[in-house]
Amino acid sequence: MKGHQIAKRGRDESVDASSKKRPRTKTQDTLSMLSDELLLLLLSYLSVHDLNRCEQLSRRLRTLATDPQLWKSAYYERFVRPRAVRIPGLRGTGNLNRSLLYSSKISRWLDDGHLVRRGDATNWKRQYKLRYNWSRGSCKRTETKIAERPSIPPLLVRLHDGVIVTADPRSGLRAWTMNDGERLIAAMAWDSDKPSSAAPTSMAIDYSSTSTAALLVSVGSSDGSFGIYALDRRKQSLRRQYLHARSINGTVSAIALLFPYVVTLTEANLLSLYRFPIIDDEASDSKLLGQPQLLSSLKSYTVWPPLSLSIRRSSTGITCSIAYAMPTYTSGWSVGLQELQLSSDGTILHSRTATPVGDGFMPLSGIEDLARSKSSSLRASAIQAPLYKSSSSSAKLTSLSYTHPYLLAGHSDNTLTLYMVTSNTQELYIGPVTLLCGHTSSVSGAHIGDRGKAVSVSAQGNDLRVWELEGGRISSISTRRTALGEESVPIEPENWRADYQRGAVLNAAPQRDTEAKVTGQYGLEEALISSGWLSFDEEQVVMLAEKHEGAQVLVVYNFA
């Protein structure tokens, strides 16, 4: 007992001695005496890294360091201004004051103007983090099993505004949401709509829909029919709006929807354009759609798969486009594009075709038709010089994505080719080809958006890459990567990478191959085989893949 008291007294004396060695000095906190306006001005000169550190100092600084205007300015400086200074009217402003480089004018925000129009609804810090993660390929990866085995025809998937729509013969039409965790929000069987012999073979979503409640989906079938369905996101229900009769022209291999227009392409290469009657109320509420009017029907003899079918609005009305693969003499495979332009009242203005092949290189089929076509625009493709390697790829096409003005093709030789399309009242022209390299195996799928962002995936399913191709040129961030030999950003999920490394350590064995397989709870049980379909929105990339046992899974890469 006495020894314990002596030990305790020794500890107390050591504490007193240490306190005497470090006397407290009274300092005046002058920073807290400043007004919020002055503190915001000081914070505006800090980097994003320092702003994040300031959030940890005090509650007041946390509130000020997350001010929307600070992050709006940071977003503009990093992601918008490098593109804006390329506009002729803004060139040469690099030496001006920083305050002059930041602008709240929507015209200066280019394709990000929609974020400014939202006003207070835009979370600028979240948008900055989102774009930053995209530029680094940093995301979180999740998987959702949607079928135990492959279906015939293959399962169809589409993505829009955080909603994933799937269609297959066994499970029918289903809608999923991944925003707050994987969840099935609506489902509908085919029993009441289709005969047992019919199966879904193509699907499209009306991406131009502004309704927050209804989403229109069109599905083509193997018996030549097609249907229009409405997804009510508020009521979480699916409802059929229209079912077209069967057709003797064969399976509907492709379909596009831009209400009230629908365009279909059958296996006999018959292109049909329909227009539904306009109704006063929303089509998805309670009324069925009336019988559509057949505006045009064209037979094509030069269309080869893969192909991309689309509809878009133009200054004169609407434009229906079909991009397709095309074999050529001596130069291997190329692409072709056909447009059908209509006025707002449905009158056909003209039909024209274009191809990037040079003079003297004619397609293997349909030579006489191209020679007779007065509206065809055939120009030589000059080799583009710059940061990307520029030449055409002769390998067979494995995927094709067309979102005007970008035409992106994937090839079996691990490359992609990019074309810029010019479409106006005078001509339809496919510009020079740009070759994109980066994949280590055959490109099984690629998708490009209207702002020039593209995502591609290899056949193995684990090699995904992001491309910034605005205006057919690489961004300033991609320019720096190109100088280092990296033309794209590989998507590397943080949770998958950590699990892979941890699993690799546990499964490593000296006598085995150095590339360990991740099993069990430590990561993915087996490699994925890409089905060739993928899509993306502002926050996520969704890919349809197959595991070795045939299970169909949706792989979601969330960048938020």
Side-chain angles (χ1 to χ4, degrees):
M1 189 66 166
K2 183 177 180 180
H4 176 70
Q5 293 177 352
I6 295 175
K8 182 178 180 182
R9 187 184 308 117
R11 287 196 299 267
D12 294 339
E13 291 177 355
S14 61
V15 172
D16 295 338
S18 60
S19 62
K20 292 180 180 179
K21 293 179 181 179
R22 296 193 303 268
R24 293 186 178 183
T25 58
K26 294 183 179 180
T27 58
Q28 187 176 4
D29 185 7
T30 56
L31 190 64
S32 301
M33 299 173 60
L34 299 178
S35 63
D36 290 348
E37 290 76 11
L38 289 177
L39 285 176
L40 284 173
L41 179 61
L42 294 176
L43 293 175
S44 65
Y45 290 96
L46 298 182
S47 64
V48 171
H49 176 71
D50 291 335
L51 279 178
N52 287 324
R53 296 183 64 181
C54 285
E55 294 183 23
Q56 306 173 8
L57 298 180
S58 66
R59 293 182 180 178
R60 184 188 180 194
L61 283 177
R62 178 179 179 83
T63 302
L64 295 176
T66 56
D67 185 82
Q69 290 301 320
L70 290 177
W71 289 96
K72 182 179 180 181
S73 177
Y75 185 96
Y76 182 89
E77 288 295 322
R78 183 178 179 90
F79 302 112
V80 180
R81 189 176 69 85
R83 299 155 55 205
V85 294
R86 294 201 297 263
I87 300 176
L90 295 178
R91 289 177 181 172
T93 60
N95 296 326
L96 295 179
N97 188 283
R98 179 178 182 273
S99 62
L100 298 178
L101 295 176
Y102 169 76
S103 174
S104 59
K105 294 182 179 179
I106 296 181
S107 60
R108 296 283 183 90
W109 284 77
L110 305 180
D111 291 334
D112 292 305
H114 65 286
L115 299 176
V116 182
R117 295 186 187 95
R118 294 177 188 173
D120 296 338
T122 299
N123 186 333
W124 287 104
K125 182 180 179 181
R126 186 175 186 274
Q127 290 296 327
Y128 185 98
K129 179 181 178 181
L130 191 62
R131 286 290 298 271
Y132 179 78
N133 288 341
W134 272 103
S135 66
R136 294 174 55 88
S138 178
C139 59
K140 181 181 179 181
R141 172 174 169 166
T142 58
E143 291 183 11
T144 302
K145 182 185 292 187
I146 56 177
E148 293 293 340
R149 59 187 185 276
S151 62
I152 302 176
L155 187 141
L156 306 173
V157 187
R158 292 296 180 269
L159 168 68
H160 177 60
D161 195 20
V163 176
I164 302 173
V165 182
T166 64
D168 66 277
R170 288 189 292 267
S171 302
L173 191 64
R174 294 179 291 175
W176 311 72
T177 179
M178 301 292 176
N179 292 335
D180 51 355
E182 54 191 57
R183 183 166 56 92
L184 180 67
I185 59 175
M188 188 184 72
W190 301 122
D191 298 341
S192 59
D193 288 344
K194 300 179 181 297
S196 57
S197 59
T201 54
S202 58
M203 183 168 60
I205 290 179
D206 186 2
Y207 296 105
S208 65
S209 176
T210 57
S211 174
T212 58
L215 183 64
L216 291 180
V217 181
S218 57
V219 180
S221 302
S222 57
D223 61 354
S225 65
F226 69 89
I228 306 296
Y229 304 87
L231 170 63
D232 193 322
R233 284 180 277 192
R234 294 176 181 172
K235 298 180 181 179
Q236 297 187 359
S237 62
L238 279 162
R239 184 171 182 269
R240 177 174 61 83
Q241 298 285 277
Y242 172 78
L243 183 62
H244 196 70
R246 302 182 190 179
S247 174
I248 61 174
N249 296 309
T251 300
V252 179
S253 57
I255 191 169
L257 174 64
L258 180 67
F259 192 79
Y261 299 96
V262 175
V263 58
T264 62
L265 181 69
T266 65
E267 62 180 354
N269 288 341
L270 181 65
L271 186 72
S272 302
L273 178 63
Y274 301 88
R275 183 178 63 179
F276 285 92
I278 303 296
I279 56 179
D280 295 335
D281 298 334
E282 290 188 2
S284 59
D285 286 346
S286 58
K287 294 186 178 181
L288 297 177
L289 298 177
Q291 189 71 21
Q293 177 188 359
L294 179 61
L295 299 179
S296 177
S297 184
L298 302 175
K299 178 77 172 181
S300 176
Y301 298 93
T302 59
V303 174
W304 291 66
L307 54 87
S308 178
L309 194 62
S310 61
I311 313 177
R312 70 178 189 276
R313 289 187 171 87
S314 61
S315 57
T316 58
I318 68 162
T319 301
C320 173
S321 305
I322 176 172
Y324 52 89
M326 183 176 64
T328 60
Y329 283 119
T330 69
S331 61
W333 288 83
S334 184
V335 297
L337 181 65
Q338 182 172 359
E339 279 192 354
L340 181 65
Q341 291 195 345
L342 295 88
S343 62
S344 56
D345 59 356
T347 303
I348 299 178
L349 300 179
H350 53 77
S351 175
R352 55 191 182 180
T353 61
T355 167
V357 296
D359 295 335
F361 297 93
M362 299 302 296
L364 293 176
S365 60
I367 298 178
E368 297 179 359
D369 295 336
L370 286 176
R372 290 194 301 265
S373 178
K374 297 181 181 180
S375 60
S376 298
S377 301
L378 298 177
R379 291 191 179 185
S381 293
I383 298 300
Q384 187 177 352
L387 301 167
Y388 285 136
K389 304 170 185 176
S390 300
S391 64
S392 61
S393 177
S394 60
K396 187 175 181 180
L397 274 70
T398 55
S399 65
L400 196 60
S401 176
Y402 177 54
T403 304
H404 187 75
Y406 303 97
L407 178 57
L408 184 65
H411 298 270
S412 58
D413 62 352
N414 312 350
T415 64
L416 296 101
T417 49
L418 174 69
Y419 304 87
M420 295 299 296
V421 178
T422 301
S423 176
N424 49 44
T425 56
Q426 288 79 27
E427 65 175 354
L428 174 65
Y429 169 55
I430 301 180
V433 60
T434 299
L435 187 66
L436 309 178
C437 303
H439 284 283
T440 57
S441 60
S442 174
V443 178
S444 64
H447 178 69
I448 189 166
D450 56 356
R451 299 175 188 174
K453 177 185 291 185
V455 177
S456 58
V457 60
S458 66
Q460 295 300 323
N462 289 329
D463 183 15
L464 278 85
R465 292 183 174 271
V466 180
W467 309 81
E468 293 290 347
L469 307 170
E470 182 188 10
R473 301 172 57 186
I474 54 178
S475 64
S476 58
I477 297 177
S478 298
T479 302
R480 294 192 293 269
R481 291 196 181 95
T482 303
L484 299 175
E486 301 176 358
E487 296 178 344
S488 58
V489 182
I491 297 179
E492 298 180 349
E494 296 292 340
N495 57 331
W496 179 84
R497 184 192 312 165
D499 289 344
Y500 182 87
Q501 293 173 350
R502 180 168 50 174
V505 172
L506 294 179
N507 294 306
Q511 68 276 14
R512 291 191 174 185
D513 188 17
T514 55
E515 184 177 354
K517 180 180 178 182
V518 182
T519 59
Q521 61 180 337
Y522 298 107
L524 302 179
E525 295 183 354
E526 65 273 340
L528 300 175
I529 301 176
S530 171
S531 68
W533 178 89
L534 79 161
S535 185
F536 64 90
D537 55 17
E538 291 185 355
E539 297 186 1
Q540 57 192 355
V541 174
V542 180
M543 177 184 70
L544 178 63
E546 179 180 328
K547 293 193 173 183
H548 74 288
E549 296 179 353
Q552 305 289 297
V553 295
L554 284 177
V555 187
V556 180
Y557 299 84
N558 194 324
F559 291 83

